[in-house]
Amino acid sequence: MFGSVLHLPFLAVSAAPDATCSVLEKLDGVQCYGLEKASTQSVHPDVAYRPESAASNMCSSQVWQFNPMFACYRGKSSVCMRSGDSFASGSVGERLRGSAFAGNGIHWFGRQQNYAELVDLDPEAFGPRELVIQGLDGESYRLWRNGARLEVDISCWSNSRHPQGCCDWPRTPTPPRPCWGDAGMAEHCCKDGVSADRKFLYNVYTRTTPFLSHAELAYFERLLPEEKINEANFNASRTRWASGWHPPDLLCPSASMAIDGQRATVDASTVLWPLAVLLAAHMQITGTFVNIGAGTCLPPDPLYQLLASPEGYGFLGLAVEGDATRLKRCEVEMASTFATVVPVHLTLNPIDAVHQLLPFLGAMFPEALPPWPLDFLVVDIDGVDCLVVEELMQLVRPKVMQLEIAFHFPPPFRFSMHWDSEKSPRWNDEYDIDRLNPVSGCSLSYALHKFKPFGYHLLRLTPADAIFVHESVAPIMESGLGTKLPQDEFLCYRSSTLYAQMPGNYVREWFYAPHPATAFSRIWSNISSLNKEIGREDVPFTLDF
């Protein structure tokens, strides 16, 4: 997984890369991981970061991305993908031709701590698996796996292969270089890779499988291996360790589907609104909520759709956020909704969470004693999420909870980051929302284990979150949604497409292990290594099954 990507010999050329800053790939609407925030944050790339005005800087950076609500980012990245993050939805960017780029497949150690991958947990459930990796000279390889068959494509254009030098154009000043070892490849790339107006078409690939040597094919086999599931072992683990026992309905998994050639998953921001409508139609709700880690409160925040809709009229709740700038933006945005949103500038921790929120929750329920009947609780703090929720159970019993989950720890592994009274406050101060942390949060099995005694069941998954419902509203959910609680989380997880901050083949290896004990030490080693990489080798955590 971490070996050097092969530079196929039949693709090698002797000419040096052109010094210009032409575009190799458009990166609009995606998120490239591993980039660094540029010093100027408020300038559109057309003004400051386009190749025409900053060619030397950008060519050496190779990739730039910009979102006007965030900043401009530059650097080298081999992982660019569609993401549920709000940055991706409004981003523009390019991969530029210039300096040679050395890649080694997928990165997630060192400075690549913001690695994330959208993983199909069942390798055969959603058709052929695909993996795109970056090569030594700016090209990208696209691997397709359909069972035992592996196909390898390579991008037509790279730092050293460009239409002006590789194709027989009427105005080409010199004869074309032999950029490919096969006439069919040259014809495909020069015909399908260039439009009539001689503009460069992006993401044009040609099939290289027949030309691979045995060693090259073996290398790509290691990058995207065939994954066979031992169903007997899987069912034995599920029977022994699953928290629920009813087969999940079609609503439970974060299923993947193809829309216009792109993979689509459940939108986490659209889940709570229909549940609020369902509950209000069958019972008297309190119209209350707490949003911990609310950020700007803008989409894809799980509560935005509800609070901005007429069904959110009269709702009262808290937006809890430790970043004052983002909280101010939340306050401005929520002022135009149908709800009353009280901004609370706090960074919660499991020791003080009850004391921190008691005055605000008490004001929301002045005539009752805790635990108070909160309608919705949303938690996304990239830290000790489950521990904070467990403490808040002293004060509230939300009907519905939506929690961010560390899905790269599959069932039945119970993982949670823990709180250190001396060091955790400093780690919170160093937190950067733009750099993900794979060893924070809690796993699905940990959340189920902790919240089941309080009467909570898994309702459904989104790519990054789990939605739990309290047993007091279970009959409404069962009749209204056609489900039966408690659902088997193993089957729900297996049928899902989820964001993982560790490589997907690792996660599947752990999930389908013959016995959890056979994968336990590998997970522990990965946690320990990653904590050391980010300077937190002494962070406390729980890992069990």
Side-chain angles (χ1 to χ4, degrees):
M1 189 69 183
F2 300 108
S4 297
V5 175
L6 291 179
H7 192 195
L8 300 181
F10 62 87
L11 296 172
V13 294
S14 58
D18 193 316
T20 60
C21 235
S22 56
V23 178
L24 291 176
E25 182 182 7
K26 282 289 188 183
L27 298 172
D28 298 347
V30 300
Q31 183 161 1
C32 293
Y33 296 97
L35 303 182
E36 298 293 332
K37 186 183 295 184
S39 57
T40 303
Q41 300 185 23
S42 59
V43 182
H44 192 278
D46 284 336
V47 178
Y49 295 110
R50 291 290 296 177
E52 293 80 359
S53 59
S56 61
N57 288 337
M58 288 309 307
C59 278
S60 62
S61 296
Q62 192 102 36
V63 170
W64 68 266
Q65 280 200 293
F66 177 78
N67 185 313
M69 291 189 60
F70 293 87
C72 189
Y73 291 79
R74 302 186 294 189
K76 295 181 179 180
S77 175
S78 62
V79 181
C80 296
M81 61 182 65
R82 297 189 179 276
S83 163
D85 191 278
S86 54
F87 176 87
S89 62
S91 69
V92 294
E94 296 169 331
R95 186 184 302 279
L96 301 175
R97 181 183 184 215
S99 61
F101 173 73
N104 64 337
I106 287 182
H107 303 273
W108 56 290
F109 277 113
R111 301 185 68 180
Q112 303 289 339
Q113 282 309 133
N114 50 2
Y115 171 83
E117 180 180 347
L118 193 58
V119 178
D120 291 330
L121 274 306
D122 189 329
E124 302 297 334
F126 303 106
R129 287 189 291 129
E130 177 184 352
L131 174 66
V132 177
I133 59 174
Q134 197 70 25
L136 291 173
D137 201 22
E139 74 275 355
S140 58
Y141 296 94
R142 183 173 60 179
L143 314 183
W144 294 85
R145 164 72 73 181
N146 192 357
R149 195 180 81 226
L150 176 71
E151 299 287 353
V152 182
D153 299 346
I154 189 171
S155 55
C156 285
W157 313 118
S158 69
N159 293 338
S160 54
R161 294 192 309 279
H162 197 268
Q164 287 99 334
C166 299
C167 298
D168 188 11
W169 289 0
R171 297 181 181 178
T172 302
T174 59
R177 300 193 307 266
C179 296
W180 302 275
D182 178 75
M185 291 184 186
E187 181 180 3
H188 164 73
C189 290
C190 291
K191 178 181 178 181
D192 299 328
V194 182
S195 59
D197 58 0
R198 294 297 186 258
K199 295 294 184 181
F200 187 6
L201 297 185
Y202 306 102
N203 301 323
V204 178
Y205 287 87
T206 182
R207 183 60 45 88
T208 62
T209 315
F211 301 92
L212 296 178
S213 68
H214 177 75
E216 290 167 341
L217 185 60
Y219 171 76
F220 288 117
E221 286 273 1
R222 292 195 300 272
L223 287 179
L224 193 65
E226 182 181 6
E227 298 183 33
K228 297 181 179 179
I229 299 172
N230 186 315
E231 297 292 347
N233 289 340
F234 174 76
N235 287 321
S237 293
R238 180 175 64 85
T239 302
R240 182 172 178 182
W241 283 288
S243 174
W245 51 88
H246 292 291
D249 62 13
L250 296 178
L251 187 70
C252 188
S254 171
S256 177
M257 64 191 76
I259 298 179
D260 296 330
Q262 299 294 336
R263 180 166 52 183
T265 54
V266 175
D267 186 345
S269 64
T270 63
V271 173
L272 297 186
W273 176 80
L275 296 184
V277 174
L278 177 61
L279 289 174
H282 292 87
M283 66 180 298
Q284 184 175 356
I285 61 176
T286 60
T288 55
F289 64 89
V290 173
N291 189 356
I292 300 174
T296 64
C297 297
L298 289 168
D301 184 86
L303 283 164
Y304 181 85
Q305 185 186 33
L306 170 60
L307 303 183
S309 70
E311 287 76 16
Y313 180 81
F315 267 73
L316 169 65
L318 310 177
V320 184
E321 172 59 43
D323 186 318
T325 302
R326 294 169 65 82
L327 184 62
K328 183 62 179 178
R329 179 70 183 274
C330 168
E331 185 177 6
V332 172
E333 296 294 337
M334 289 294 100
S336 61
T337 68
F338 292 90
T340 300
V341 182
V342 179
V344 180
H345 185 209
L346 284 174
T347 300
L348 298 184
N349 67 74
I351 297 177
D352 304 314
V354 171
H355 173 73
Q356 289 172 301
L357 286 187
L358 182 59
F360 302 96
L361 290 168
M364 290 171 59
F365 300 97
E367 299 179 359
L369 296 175
W372 292 304
L374 192 71
D375 285 336
F376 296 100
L377 174 64
V378 174
V379 180
D380 179 1
I381 56 177
D382 297 336
V384 287
D385 302 52
C386 279
L387 275 63
V388 167
V389 172
E390 187 178 12
E391 289 299 312
L392 292 181
M393 289 296 163
Q394 300 179 55
L395 298 180
V396 294
R397 284 292 187 279
K399 299 175 181 65
V400 180
M401 298 193 301
Q402 183 161 338
L403 276 64
E404 185 178 51
I405 296 293
F407 281 126
H408 42 281
F409 300 107
F413 297 102
R414 301 172 185 173
F415 166 83
S416 177
M417 179 180 178
H418 277 274
W419 180 261
D420 185 293
S421 58
E422 295 182 1
K423 299 174 183 177
S424 291
R426 173 174 57 82
W427 294 333
N428 279 343
D429 292 340
E430 297 170 351
Y431 172 72
D432 183 352
I433 193 172
D434 298 316
R435 301 181 74 85
L436 304 181
N437 183 357
V439 285
S440 65
C442 57
S443 68
L444 178 61
S445 290
Y446 185 93
L448 284 168
H449 174 68
K450 285 295 183 180
F451 305 141
K452 189 174 182 179
F454 295 102
Y456 288 93
H457 303 301
L458 174 65
L459 180 68
R460 67 181 306 181
L461 302 178
T462 75
D465 305 323
I467 291 83
F468 304 91
V469 295
H470 192 259
E471 59 188 10
S472 62
V473 298
I476 295 176
M477 297 295 176
E478 289 179 328
S479 61
L481 301 176
T483 188
K484 189 69 175 176
L485 302 174
Q487 298 181 99
D488 185 322
E489 73 275 15
F490 273 71
L491 295 178
C492 186
Y493 184 92
R494 174 173 176 168
S495 300
S496 291
T497 301
L498 304 170
Y499 276 106
Q501 295 177 49
M502 292 187 188
N505 61 327
Y506 285 32
V507 179
R508 285 188 290 266
E509 175 188 315
W510 302 335
F511 183 46
Y512 296 109
H515 188 283
T518 62
F520 188 85
S521 61
R522 299 174 193 173
I523 301 176
W524 189 283
S525 296
N526 276 271
I527 297 172
S528 302
S529 297
L530 287 167
N531 278 330
K532 185 176 181 180
E533 288 284 339
I534 61 176
R536 298 182 182 182
E537 56 187 312
D538 52 351
V539 66
F541 64 86
T542 288
L543 182 64
D544 198 355
F545 61 86

